[in-house]
Amino acid sequence: MTTPSIPDERRYEVAVVGGGPAGLTTALYATRLGHETAVFDRGGGRAAMMQETHNVIGVPESVSGAEFLETAVDQLRSYGADYRQEFVTGVDRRDDEFVLETTEGTAVADRVVLATGFSDGRPEPPLPRTGRGLHYCLHCDAYMFVDESVYVMGHGDSAAYVAMIMLNFTDDVDLLLRDDDPTWSDETATLLENHPVDVVREEVTGVRNGEDGWLEALEFADGSVREYAGGFAMYGSDYNDGLAASLGAELNDDGTVAVDDHGRTSVDGLYAVGDLTPGHNQIPVAMGQGAKAGIAIHKNLREFPKSLAELEAEGAVGPEDVPAIAPDLRQRANAHASAEGD
C-alpha cells in the first residue's frame, strides 16, 4: 500500500503521541538534536490534574500540573517543534514510515513514540479532586501526611501494602474496604494482622469537605464519621495501549508496553515512554525515560558519520552536504543563540 499524499507540514521525522512529561521531554530532545518533531496531544492526562508539582527538582510546589505542562509546551515550540492538539485515532506501518490518523487528518513520521499513559481506577462516590484529599502517587504525596490521619481505599494486595507503607509516615492509617471482600493473599493478610492498620469494612456513604474543597472526613454506612487529611485510592490502572497493540508491539501481562532501557519496543521504529511502560509513575522518571528515548532516536536517525559502506556507495561527504539539521530548526537554533548572547 502506498502512503497517501501528505502535506509537507504534516511530515515529520519523529511523532510523539501524548503530551505528558515523558512525551514532551522526548520531543524536546529530538527537536534540539535536529529532528523535525511533532507532539500530538488530546489534552488531559494525570500530570494535568495535579494541584501541585512534587519531587521535580527546580520546580516550586506551587506550580500546578497544568502550568508545568504549559511551560513545557512553550519551551518545545520555541525550538521549532509542532504541538498539535489532536487525538490520534490510529497508527499504521507502511513501508518504512508510520501513518498517523488523527481527528484533524493524516500525518507521516519516520519514528513514533507512544506516551499515552494510563487512567487510574477511580472510587465511587466521588471524593475531592486529585490533590485535595484524593491521591494516587504514594511516592509523590506521602510526605504530605506525616503525623496525619490517612485512608487507603481498595481491597487488593496493592492497597494493603500502601497502607502498611504509610506507617513509615504516620501512626494513623485506615484501610477502607468499602463493603468489598478482601482479595489480598494469605501472606498479605498475615502482614496486615501484624501491623497497626485499622481495616474498615463499611461502605463510604458521604464526604465532608472544608470551605477550600479539601477533604475533612468520610461518613460510613454504620453512621460513623472518620476524619482524614487525605488518602490514596488503589483500584488499578487502565493502560492506553490500543495503538501499541494495533502495531503488534509486545505487551506485558499488566497492559504496559514492553521496552528496552531506551524505550524501544518490539516493533522497529516504535518507542514507548512514561506511564505506558513498566516502572515508577513519576514525573522525574518519565522525563528521564523521554531523554533516553530522544537520544536513542537521534542516534538511529542522524546522518553523520556515514558508514564505510555508505561512503563507498555515495562518495565523501562534501561541505555542501552539512549540516544535516532541517533549515527551520537551524534557524531556530541560531535565534536561540542570538537571544542568549544579548
Side-chain angles (χ1 to χ4, degrees):
M1 182 181 296
T2 59
T3 300
S5 177
I6 307 296
D8 288 343
E9 64 270 19
R10 304 279 293 186
R11 289 183 171 273
Y12 304 98
E13 289 181 274
V14 182
V16 179
V17 184
L24 293 175
T25 303
T26 307
L28 180 64
Y29 269 75
T31 303
R32 282 176 51 89
L33 286 169
H35 304 289
E36 294 172 302
T37 303
V39 174
F40 295 86
D41 184 19
R42 68 175 180 179
R46 299 175 83 238
M49 295 188 295
M50 297 186 309
Q51 300 299 306
E52 300 173 337
T53 300
H54 299 299
N55 292 353
V56 183
I57 198 74
V59 179
E61 296 197 353
S62 59
V63 175
S64 70
E67 292 168 334
F68 175 83
L69 295 174
E70 182 179 355
T71 300
V73 170
D74 289 343
Q75 182 182 12
L76 189 60
R77 282 173 162 159
S78 75
Y79 289 108
D82 279 355
Y83 176 77
R84 295 184 174 273
Q85 292 181 296
E86 303 174 27
F87 177 52
V88 176
T89 57
V91 182
D92 291 324
R93 184 65 182 270
R94 300 179 186 174
D95 300 324
D96 294 329
E97 297 178 320
F98 293 91
V99 179
L100 295 83
E101 299 295 339
T102 83
T103 49
E104 301 297 326
T106 303
V108 170
D110 298 318
R111 303 291 182 269
V112 167
V113 182
L114 299 179
T116 48
F118 68 82
S119 299
D120 295 286
R122 297 185 62 84
E124 294 292 342
L127 290 170
R129 62 181 178 174
T130 298
R132 293 181 179 268
L134 174 62
H135 303 258
Y136 293 97
C137 181
L138 172 68
H139 298 104
C140 298
D141 296 338
Y143 180 85
M144 300 171 61
F145 300 117
V146 171
D147 292 329
E148 298 285 358
S149 179
V150 176
Y151 69 84
V152 177
M153 198 174 287
H155 50 80
D157 284 281
S158 60
Y161 269 88
V162 167
M164 291 184 285
I165 290 170
M166 285 305 300
L167 293 171
N168 291 290
F169 305 93
T170 179
D171 61 0
D172 190 357
V173 182
D174 290 350
L175 178 53
L176 310 184
L177 289 178
R178 301 194 56 193
D179 210 26
D180 286 320
D181 291 327
T183 57
W184 52 67
S185 68
D186 292 340
E187 178 182 340
T188 300
T190 301
L191 290 175
L192 274 175
E193 291 169 1
N194 289 277
H195 286 80
V197 173
D198 191 2
V199 179
V200 180
R201 295 182 174 275
E202 288 77 15
E203 175 63 287
V204 175
T205 56
V207 179
R208 297 184 183 181
N209 300 327
E211 292 182 359
D212 58 359
W214 283 79
L215 175 71
E216 291 186 346
L218 296 177
E219 302 169 356
F220 294 85
D222 62 358
S224 64
V225 177
R226 293 175 178 245
E227 295 183 354
Y228 298 108
F232 299 86
M234 304 299 297
Y235 289 103
S237 305
D238 183 14
Y239 291 93
N240 301 315
D241 57 9
L243 295 177
S246 71
L247 288 165
E250 179 185 351
L251 303 181
N252 298 307
D253 291 340
D254 61 358
T256 57
V257 178
V259 294
D260 70 4
D261 195 45
H262 291 81
R264 289 178 285 249
T265 73
S266 59
V267 176
D268 187 37
L270 180 68
Y271 297 72
V273 293
D275 291 350
L276 185 61
T277 66
H280 297 290
N281 303 314
Q282 305 274 301
I283 288 178
V285 173
M287 293 169 68
Q289 291 176 337
K292 292 173 74 172
I295 293 170
I297 291 169
H298 169 62
K299 289 182 176 180
N300 184 249
L301 287 176
R302 66 189 182 192
E303 288 290 325
F304 306 115
K306 295 287 189 182
S307 67
L308 289 176
E310 288 173 320
L311 292 175
E312 290 177 3
E314 303 170 10
V317 178
E320 70 280 3
D321 298 321
V322 297
I325 187 172
D328 181 60
L329 297 184
R330 185 181 186 185
Q331 183 179 2
R332 293 294 187 107
N334 291 331
H336 266 277
S338 298
E340 291 173 357
D342 292 340

